Amino acid sequence: MTVESVFPRLEALLPHVQKPIQYVGGELNSTVKDWDACDVRWALMYPDAYEVGLPNQGVMILYEVLNEREGVLAERTYSVWPDLEALMREHRVPQFTVDAHRPVKAFDVFGLSFSTELGYTNMLTALDLAGIPLEAKDRTDEDPIVLAGGHAAFNPEPIADFLDCAVIGDGEQAVLDITEIIRAWKAEGRPGGRDELLLRLARTGGVYVPKFYDVEYLADGRIGRVVPNAPGVPWRVSKHTVMDLDEWPYPKQPLVPLAETVHERMSVEIFRGCTRGCRFCQAGMITRPVRERSITGIGEMVERGLKATGFEEVGLLSLSSADHTEIGDIAKGLADRYTEDKIGLSLPSTRVDAFNIDLANELSRNGRRSGLTFAPEGGSERMRKVINKMVSEEDLIRTVATAYGNGWRQVKLYFMCGLPTETDEDVLQIGEMAKNVIQKGREVTGQNDIRCTVSIGGFVPKPHTPFQWAPQLSAEATDARLAKLRDSIRGDRKYGKNIGYRYHDGKPGIVEGLLSRGDRRVGAVIRAVYEDGGRFDGWREYFSYDRWMASAEKGLAGTGVDVDWYTTRERSYEEVLPWDHLDSGLDKDWLWEDWQDALEEVEVDDCRWTPCFDCGVCPQMDTAIQIGPTGKKLLPLTVVNK
Amino acid sequence: MQRIRLRYTKRGRLRFTSHRDFQRAFERALRRSAVPMAYSAGFTPHPKVSYANAAPTGVASEAEYLEIGLAAVRDPEQLRAQLDESLPAGLDVIDAVEVRTPNFVERLEASEWLVRLDGVEPDQAAKAVRTFLAEEKVEVERRTKNGVRVFDARGAVAALEAVEPQVDGGTDTAAGTDRDVRTGRPCAILRLVVRHATPAVRPDDVLSGLRATADLAPPVPAEVTRLAQGPLDEESGTVTDPLALDRAAAPAG
């Protein structure tokens, strides 16, 4: 059955919407395959606007991995802005893919990648526009399998009602395994319909199918237990991990959009995982163990990617890029190869203590010395011990002096407010640190016009971290603390004018907290928000705290629990957490011990350089961290005759 | 420094490309095809590219122009083919000449547009055109960043006619009818030549004028294509090739 393009009908709407180019597809390196020549078809969605979704590496990687396979096709879809949504509803144009403008409902799988929980309402918009029932229980064999992945999927319980399944961990191999299961089931004539397919997926132990698990609650509202309700379905679902990144050099042909997007650069993931052990960091915990891409693998990806895209910047991505065992040689090798071509190099996540003068010089070789960003996260030494961000103020000042000495004039520092055990005094230390940075900058450069911007986000406790038991600071207390810091910075006559102060108010963090540590009962809240018009919750101009609170009251009525119960309440050791049956590889007892260490301000070293501290991931996966050095170097690509 | 003038298109769905979008896409195509670009001096060097008179977002074009400066000499036709290959289909580079004459932008005196009015009876369109042309002055409004602006849309119009709804060898309409092949609805097509004046008069403004003078109100947005821009032959009301002078000035061979 051939599926028709909705483009002719969409085209008539485009002159009436903002930035129509985002809906037409046609990106360089995009792929449109013959529908009828494929037997397994994926619609991949990043549930945010195109400008944010297109550069997403996860979607780009899976898109390419799937399309490379014979008989498999993948197309992309993104959230449409409310102006187009209204027109699509009026003219009955369904949610479409941007590649061939096929209706999402026609695909076998509708896969969504959630980097953040704030995309949940956008998923409901897309399902509804696609004509797919919002709740999994109402779907028929005519509907695609709705599958979630991404970091937020490590606790899929708040969206369990809307999902057919979820996959946690690395997607590269997982999507291929799922494809084969679907292919076999279709080839057999779809025995047992949708349920049989979901059962086959669930029995692999690597795909979570919420409907095959019953959640039992205690009288006080806590979870009693989570029990599989179908034969052969495992008690716990494990995460997927690809061990050798050099075997997966994706994206090979990165998408180059015509529309402007948030990241316009050739991104190469130089390693996955992180062993620094920052206790607030969900990404660092759930992506263990550390797996480095080799220096030569990185070199090949950069070379091929630049040829395929024409980008003028290379971003070396990871959770802490300066920690790659051969980062110095990588930066030098790439700078040697590409400075002539005016290609810039950036390290989006750089640690204070791993940044050194050589790296600074390699990164700025093409003359561009824009701002430098570091994330001490905690303002006081004590706070940094609690969160295990082992950076001393001395380290920071030394690094900053190096940076200023090498021509940088602008330093940006990231912090969090609302960390466990935090007091006003800890937060006021942020201002002191900024002053010391400026003072040092003035000393090193002999100039007065040194700027330091402090940017502060609210801390949200996340599942699968040592802080998963912690109470979240209320919105009011967060705002009060940040106001005190603002007053203390503004009131400083010597440095106040040179300190930029950016912060977010505490309200969005509470909604994020509700969604991060919520259970299945939170689904009713998300649905109520969506039905009340909630969209694009990651965007300040669309986010409505009041709508979320009103919807929470409605959605949680009769459950005996409320928003505070999910956010500001501290959990105990015995409590069954909503995500306990999703196995990130981390040992729950180790997480608890690390939580206790945090409260006692005890730090834990990085296992790259010190013995294993038994977080549980490696033994469970029967592996070890995969790091260099390889000792290889990036050689010049061509002999230059001058 | 060798300079080359290029003519390019914005076709089909890529007509929704904004000028800024095109600029980024073009500069990346230059990098991908390793064109030896000349760079501006200064702290952040930019490749030397100048664009002339870009068509609005949403309007298709067969005749956009730009000029690039090269650090090494290249054959214009080879360069054209290379860039065309590197750009997505729809953004096509269709002509290239080496620069041999000055004042190119001044040469772009007028544009010829094809305006496709889906759902409008051709007779009705022809009547509206006659009414519009009979006027000396047709005041229209346009909303700009600085509020509503009123100006004359008639004076800049050098030619306007309703033409047979047959484009691209008649693929637009079913044979022998004025029905659109895609929609089965009636479809009128206007050919319009507008002088490049200040304030600029766009096809949209002429459509506003048709509405104001003759109540012509298409049910769906018009599909507009720029067919040509260049020197205006006032007598025939046609636009000629702006690259002709450079071609003529090229040494024989």
Side-chain angles (χ1 to χ4, degrees):
Chain A
M1 177 197 68
T2 293
V3 171
E4 261 184 53
S5 165
V6 305
F7 193 70
R9 287 192 290 146
L10 175 69
E11 195 173 20
L13 311 180
L14 294 181
H16 303 290
V17 304
Q18 293 286 311
K19 297 187 193 161
I21 188 71
Q22 65 185 309
Y23 305 116
V24 307
E27 300 90 348
L28 187 73
N29 301 327
S30 61
T31 308
V32 174
K33 290 176 86 169
D34 180 359
W35 184 266
D36 297 318
C38 295
D39 52 4
V40 182
R41 308 172 185 109
W42 291 69
L44 301 175
M45 179 174 204
Y46 189 85
D48 202 334
Y50 180 88
E51 63 193 81
V52 178
L54 182 116
N56 180 265
Q57 293 287 295
V59 171
M60 230 187 260
I61 289 168
L62 299 185
Y63 175 75
E64 205 174 334
V65 165
L66 287 165
N67 276 324
E68 268 185 4
R69 296 291 152 135
E70 188 89 15
V72 183
L73 75 77
E75 300 194 7
R76 296 157 298 124
T77 182
Y78 304 95
S79 295
V80 299
W81 288 108
D83 60 347
L84 182 58
E85 184 194 336
L87 288 170
M88 285 165 68
R89 288 185 187 280
E90 188 187 332
H91 296 272
R92 301 186 174 278
V93 175
Q95 180 80 25
F96 55 86
T97 59
V98 296
D99 299 285
H101 293 90
R102 286 159 175 151
V104 166
K105 191 181 161 92
F107 288 76
D108 297 305
V109 188
F110 179 25
L112 297 103
S113 174
F114 289 102
S115 313
T116 140
E117 299 81 1
L118 297 175
Y120 292 163
T121 50
N122 281 2
M123 164 175 69
L124 298 187
T125 311
L127 285 171
D128 192 38
L129 282 173
I132 301 168
L134 295 187
E135 301 206 2
K137 65 176 165 47
D138 300 323
R139 291 181 196 137
T140 70
D141 289 357
E142 302 305 305
D143 295 301
I145 297 295
V146 179
L147 182 154
H151 287 185
F154 276 80
N155 176 21
E157 290 300 85
I159 48 170
D161 291 346
F162 317 120
L163 296 179
D164 295 302
C165 51
V167 169
I168 61 173
D170 300 332
E172 289 93 337
Q173 184 62 52
V175 292
L176 295 177
D177 296 345
I178 291 168
T179 296
E180 287 316 314
I181 291 170
I182 295 172
R183 175 175 275 160
W185 170 78
K186 284 177 83 170
E188 290 165 35
R190 305 172 191 246
R194 185 177 188 88
D195 265 5
E196 165 75 17
L197 173 59
L198 289 172
L199 203 52
R200 289 186 188 186
L201 291 169
R203 283 177 179 154
T204 64
V207 179
Y208 174 54
V209 179
K211 73 180 282 183
F212 296 141
Y213 295 80
D214 291 329
V215 180
E216 297 168 4
Y217 297 98
L218 303 173
D220 64 5
R222 290 183 302 164
I223 293 170
R225 56 178 200 151
V226 179
V227 204
N229 62 21
V233 174
W235 282 83
R236 299 188 82 197
V237 179
S238 47
K239 80 163 171 182
H240 298 259
T241 305
V242 299
M243 283 315 300
D244 186 352
L245 291 198
D246 285 325
E247 281 178 11
W248 299 93
Y250 296 90
K252 296 174 185 168
Q253 304 274 319
L255 295 164
V256 185
L258 283 160
E260 192 165 10
T261 60
V262 293
H263 295 303
E264 308 241 325
R265 62 186 175 210
M266 170 59 214
S267 297
V268 177
E269 190 182 20
I270 63 171
F271 64 87
R272 219 171 261 187
C274 184
T275 43
R276 288 282 183 171
C278 303
R279 292 174 176 131
F280 55 85
C281 180
Q282 187 191 39
M285 294 287 164
I286 62 179
T287 60
R288 291 177 181 201
V290 165
R291 293 145 285 153
E292 286 188 353
R293 196 183 296 283
S294 70
I295 179 171
T296 43
I298 293 166
E300 281 161 30
M301 278 187 76
V302 170
E303 178 61 11
R304 184 159 49 183
L306 286 176
K307 276 209 179 107
T309 61
F311 284 138
E312 50 182 15
E313 185 185 332
V314 173
L316 301 178
L317 305 191
S318 74
L319 292 171
S320 176
S321 291
D323 279 346
H324 193 288
T325 48
E326 290 176 292
I327 188 64
D329 287 332
I330 294 167
K332 181 176 184 307
L334 293 177
D336 284 348
R337 282 183 178 182
Y338 300 112
T339 304
E340 288 273 302
D341 301 329
K342 301 184 173 58
I343 285 167
L345 206 55
S346 70
L347 249 60
S349 300
T350 312
R351 281 182 63 91
V352 173
D353 44 353
F355 190 84
N356 59 52
I357 189 157
D358 294 335
L359 204 48
N361 289 339
E362 298 305 349
L363 291 180
S364 62
R365 230 200 271 178
N366 66 355
R368 283 193 285 191
R369 273 172 205 176
S370 49
L372 274 179
T373 303
F374 298 110
E377 311 286 3
S380 68
E381 204 81 32
R382 189 192 76 79
M383 207 65 256
R384 291 193 294 274
K385 282 187 174 153
V386 171
I387 63 178
N388 201 41
K389 184 95 187 185
M390 293 199 288
V391 176
S392 69
E393 182 146 346
E394 248 170 79
D395 289 337
L396 178 76
I397 298 294
R398 196 181 319 121
T399 303
V400 165
T402 306
Y404 284 125
N406 281 278
W408 272 277
R409 287 292 172 271
Q410 164 92 272
V411 167
K412 201 193 238 180
L413 302 175
Y414 278 144
F415 296 94
M416 280 188 285
C417 174
L419 291 161
T421 77
E422 179 186 275
T423 63
D424 288 354
E425 193 44 44
D426 292 311
V427 169
L428 288 172
Q429 284 296 311
I430 293 171
E432 296 308 309
M433 194 186 261
K435 289 174 201 170
N436 292 341
V437 163
I438 292 172
Q439 180 53 41
K440 189 70 181 179
R442 287 178 181 171
E443 268 172 47
V444 174
T445 63
Q447 290 174 347
N448 259 342
D449 67 328
I450 295 296
R451 281 197 64 76
C452 175
T453 300
V454 296
S455 185
I456 305 176
F459 166 65
V460 178
K462 294 281 179 174
H464 305 283
T465 69
F467 289 165
Q468 63 183 354
W469 292 278
Q472 187 175 352
L473 191 63
S474 72
E476 299 74 28
T478 302
D479 292 346
R481 212 164 266 173
L482 290 172
K484 275 186 191 152
L485 174 60
R486 182 195 57 214
D487 293 345
S488 116
I489 289 175
R490 293 272 185 274
D492 190 286
R493 286 171 48 200
K494 200 168 166 204
Y495 302 103
K497 276 192 193 152
N498 296 67
I499 301 175
Y501 182 51
R502 297 208 188 120
Y503 66 99
H504 300 289
D505 68 53
K507 285 174 174 176
I510 291 296
V511 172
E512 197 188 329
L514 170 71
L515 298 175
S516 293
R517 291 194 293 172
D519 52 38
R520 291 188 182 185
R521 292 169 293 191
V522 173
V525 181
I526 298 167
R527 182 161 185 163
V529 168
Y530 162 71
E531 283 169 353
D532 190 42
R535 307 279 187 279
F536 288 94
D537 284 302
W539 297 71
R540 191 178 286 251
E541 55 273 50
Y542 288 96
F543 175 79
S544 163
Y545 181 72
D546 294 341
R547 169 150 53 209
W548 273 97
M549 291 306 114
S551 301
E553 202 149 306
K554 204 164 101 187
L556 296 173
T559 62
V561 298
D562 58 15
V563 173
D564 287 348
W565 189 86
Y566 284 107
T567 55
T568 57
R569 180 179 64 97
E570 183 168 351
R571 278 73 161 165
S572 66
Y573 174 77
E574 301 77 34
E575 181 163 344
V576 175
L577 302 172
W579 50 89
D580 278 349
H581 55 297
L582 290 143
D583 187 358
S584 60
L586 296 157
D587 180 38
K588 195 177 177 187
D589 281 334
W590 176 78
L591 286 173
W592 178 262
E593 280 164 32
D594 203 42
W595 168 224
Q596 299 309 306
D597 281 350
L599 296 174
E600 285 156 30
E601 298 165 22
V602 175
E603 297 167 297
V604 175
D605 269 320
D606 187 328
C607 71
R608 275 195 227 216
W609 299 289
T610 55
C612 173
F613 44 74
D614 293 326
C615 76
V617 173
C618 290
Q620 201 223 346
M621 299 177 57
D622 193 21
T623 184
I625 57 174
Q626 310 281 315
I627 59 171
T630 61
K632 292 183 181 152
K633 302 273 186 268
L634 288 179
L635 302 171
L637 289 169
T638 47
V639 181
V640 184
N641 298 310
K642 282 208 170 148
Chain B
M1 183 177 73
Q2 186 195 28
R3 289 188 299 155
I4 297 199
R5 288 183 183 140
L6 298 166
R7 174 178 175 176
Y8 66 96
T9 68
K10 265 180 19 175
R11 289 171 173 157
R13 59 181 176 171
L14 292 199
R15 72 178 186 277
F16 294 106
T17 310
S18 75
H19 184 52
R20 270 169 59 88
D21 297 336
F22 176 79
Q23 286 177 305
R24 275 196 314 278
F26 183 71
E27 283 169 30
R28 282 176 190 151
L30 290 171
R31 285 178 170 280
R32 282 193 298 275
S33 39
V35 175
M37 290 301 293
Y39 279 83
S40 64
F43 195 64
T44 45
H46 286 287
K48 293 213 167 193
V49 187
S50 35
Y51 301 87
N53 227 7
T57 306
V59 167
S61 180
E62 291 294 315
E64 302 293 288
Y65 293 91
L66 60 79
E67 190 177 306
I68 59 177
L70 301 184
V73 174
R74 286 288 180 273
D75 172 59
E77 171 51 27
Q78 266 180 18
L79 183 82
R80 183 206 64 74
Q82 216 179 337
L83 282 170
D84 184 43
E85 171 68 31
S86 187
L87 280 165
L91 302 179
D92 302 322
V93 184
I94 57 172
D95 204 351
V97 297
E98 184 164 357
V99 174
R100 301 191 185 275
T101 60
N103 305 330
F104 179 74
V105 175
E106 287 74 9
R107 220 175 294 159
L108 302 178
E109 293 170 350
S111 286
E112 178 181 356
W113 308 89
L114 203 69
V115 181
R116 181 193 166 84
L117 301 169
D118 208 10
V120 172
E121 296 287 351
D123 289 351
Q124 193 197 348
K127 212 176 113 204
V129 165
R130 284 194 296 277
T131 313
F132 178 88
L133 290 176
E135 300 286 335
E136 221 139 270
K137 213 174 164 192
V138 178
E139 293 220 313
V140 296
E141 291 183 347
R142 194 200 297 159
R143 235 173 295 154
T144 70
K145 270 176 274 180
N146 310 317
V148 176
R149 198 159 160 194
V150 181
F151 57 97
D152 174 36
R154 172 65 187 90
V157 174
L160 173 61
E161 58 181 332
V163 297
E164 287 292 301
Q166 290 228 329
V167 184
D168 297 342
T171 54
D172 244 21
T173 56
T177 72
D178 49 17
R179 301 273 139 175
D180 186 284
V181 281
R182 294 175 302 180
T183 60
R185 292 195 300 182
C187 167
I189 291 179
L190 306 179
R191 192 186 74 92
L192 170 68
V193 176
V194 185
R195 286 183 202 90
H196 295 165
T198 313
V201 174
R202 298 191 200 147
D204 264 5
D205 301 318
V206 175
L207 289 172
S208 305
L210 287 166
R211 179 180 307 216
T213 51
D215 276 338
L216 187 75
V220 294
E223 263 184 56
V224 181
T225 306
R226 166 140 66 194
L227 294 180
Q229 56 175 332
L232 174 66
D233 181 64
E234 288 281 353
E235 269 183 36
S236 63
T238 55
V239 174
T240 61
D241 181 8
L243 300 180
L245 279 180
D246 293 292
R247 245 189 291 274

